[in-house]
Amino acid sequence: MMETYYKIRYINKENNEEIEMPLEKMVGILLNLEMGLNFHIEALKAQAIVIRTNLIKSSKSLEGGNFENIWDNREDKNVEKIIKAVEETKGLVILFNDKPIEAKYHLACGGSTENSENVIDNQIIYLRRVLCDYCKGSIYWKDEKNFSIEEIENLLKINFPKMDIDVESEISGFMEDIERDEYGRVISIKIGNKRFSGKELMELLDLNSTRFAIFPTGVKFVSRGKGHGIGLCQYGAERMAQEGYSHIEILKYYYTGVEIKEFQLPCIKRPLYGKIIVIDPGHGGEDEGHRGDSLGLLEKDLVLKLALKLKSKLEDLGVTVYLTREKDEKVLITERIEQANKLDPDFFISLHMDYFYNSKMKGCEIFHFRKDYNSEKLGSYILKNLKDRQIATRGVKEGNFYVFRGISGNSLLIEIGYLSNPQEEIKFIDENYMENLAEGIVKGILEYFQ
Ligand SMILES: [Zn+2]
Ligand SMILES: [Zn+2]
């Protein structure tokens, strides 16, 4: 029987090979690897949706295709359960704001999952900490590892103080509170909750004398849970399934505020997949940039606001976007340049605002470095789109800014408007104006690449 499936193309990160195969088949293969047959069917369904979501999020393209039968042998008892989990969730993905989420998961959380920013530096709204007792008692609930002192020294590349009888040491909570006479013999020591005299201890442990010191020779680390702890807890999902929760309930428990829906192609079409753009909102922190003459708006705030809008819109098109600052903080220009050069982006786009003694001066102006024809071309696409949206423009020009000289690739600088012009300043408090501006810039970028 001919059936329509989606065909996925993506880059295998391990060997950089491009892979193309039916999406649902890929979900099945990964499901078997990442969770396996021992899990409850509802847990497997939850994991299948997680895998599908991640594949779609990272895919290069997705298109409909007709396949006779995507499964090699669906009667194979070993994969029957996997195929069932995949087929019964066919096409379902986890969405937040109608976009596929980054569906992180781990083996066992050990009591509570983790907020994303504590692990990956990035605050992701649906990856919030939730309590989870469900993985309690699983094979990954508790783990113990013993290390000798030498092993610790080697692994951590450190040196503890050389242990010798002349170096006093205690093992806090275990053996402490050592009392000695003036010649160094132990009078008494507290071990556990009990105090022993030196003589008692010498007899009980068959020590050669009461002139002794104590040192640890090893340490035991006891850990709970396994993995980074963000998103779905796999053993927690298993237990929830056993307790009668559905795969949807499981996913909604671990991913905060998400929806599980069949995906729509438009939400995942990414014409600019693979492009990298660094956006550089000027100034920040104590460096405010220009200040508006009538309302006192600050350049550093407006360019950041625009940068964040651009980031989200460009990401929707598949661009990988980096910001040189994501909040109101001071970042040196040299740091911005260094950061950008490491990323080797297609474009580096600096955002600034203008100021002039003549308060009539207005409009958006774009600069590129000399002989940077790519940036000149991109600049004119952007300005054309801004003009189409009734935004005042001034032109694309050659500029000789410090930042241009440092950036090794294509770079442009957009002066988004004049803060010395009261009529222009007031536009920037209008959300629609900002939105329109961002939309125009993004449209220009899209047209350039197409
Ligand atoms: Zn858990
Ligand atoms: Zn500036």
Side-chain angles (χ1 to χ4, degrees), residues 133-354:
D133 266 347
Y134 296 111
C135 53
K136 194 171 186 169
S138 74
I139 48 169
Y140 293 113
W141 177 251
K142 187 177 166 184
D143 183 59
E144 293 187 1
K145 276 206 168 67
N146 290 298
F147 297 92
S148 70
I149 290 297
E150 289 77 32
E151 282 173 316
I152 296 273
E153 286 183 321
N154 288 336
L155 292 170
L156 304 186
K157 298 189 172 58
I158 52 156
N159 288 304
F160 289 115
K162 197 137 170 42
M163 294 182 224
D164 202 298
I165 190 160
D166 304 320
V167 183
E168 187 67 286
S169 87
E170 294 191 332
I171 308 172
S172 179
F174 289 86
M175 299 187 180
E176 54 197 353
D177 216 356
I178 305 169
E179 194 192 342
R180 295 179 189 273
D181 69 14
E182 55 196 301
Y183 305 105
R185 289 185 182 275
V186 173
I187 299 171
S188 78
I189 174 171
K190 204 173 125 203
I191 300 183
N193 287 322
K194 202 170 161 191
R195 185 165 280 284
F196 295 86
S197 74
K199 188 163 161 276
E200 264 179 296
L201 204 64
M202 175 181 150
E203 285 167 8
L204 286 167
L205 301 182
D206 193 20
L207 306 175
N208 277 355
S209 88
T210 56
R211 197 190 297 281
F212 63 79
I214 53 164
F215 307 99
T217 59
V219 192
K220 172 186 287 191
F221 282 80
V222 183
S223 59
R224 181 156 285 177
K226 188 171 172 70
H228 52 55
I230 33 184
L232 179 94
C233 165
Q234 289 180 307
Y235 277 86
E238 168 66 6
R239 183 62 184 276
M240 286 183 82
Q242 286 168 7
E243 290 186 8
Y245 290 99
S246 73
H247 57 288
I248 304 287
E249 287 170 313
I250 293 169
L251 292 171
K252 289 195 165 181
Y253 185 74
Y254 289 105
Y255 300 109
T256 307
V258 300
E259 290 181 293
I260 290 85
K261 284 188 187 165
E262 208 158 314
F263 71 82
Q264 306 291 317
L265 268 183
C267 80
I268 47 164
K269 223 178 196 170
R270 287 185 288 270
L272 297 185
Y273 181 89
K275 304 282 178 238
I276 302 173
I277 292 181
V278 176
I279 296 177
D280 171 47
H283 314 281
E286 65 207 42
D287 172 12
E288 297 177 342
H290 296 304
R291 177 187 282 266
D293 263 351
S294 67
L295 300 170
L297 299 185
L298 298 179
E299 177 181 356
K300 66 168 185 176
D301 296 333
L302 298 176
V303 292
L304 177 60
K305 197 166 175 193
L306 180 65
L308 291 168
K309 277 188 192 294
L310 291 174
K311 179 177 198 286
S312 131
K313 286 179 194 297
L314 287 168
E315 281 175 347
D316 285 348
L317 297 175
V319 181
T320 305
V321 181
Y322 297 92
L323 297 186
T324 54
R325 68 176 174 101
E326 303 205 358
K327 48 180 190 259
D328 183 16
E329 63 181 352
K330 187 172 173 176
V331 182
L332 296 174
I333 294 192
T334 47
E335 286 174 48
R336 297 175 194 238
I337 292 172
E338 198 188 327
Q339 197 188 341
N341 285 342
K342 263 190 222 148
L343 295 164
D344 189 25
D346 292 281
F347 281 99
F348 174 89
I349 302 178
S350 233
L351 302 175
H352 283 268
M353 297 192 75
D354 247 328

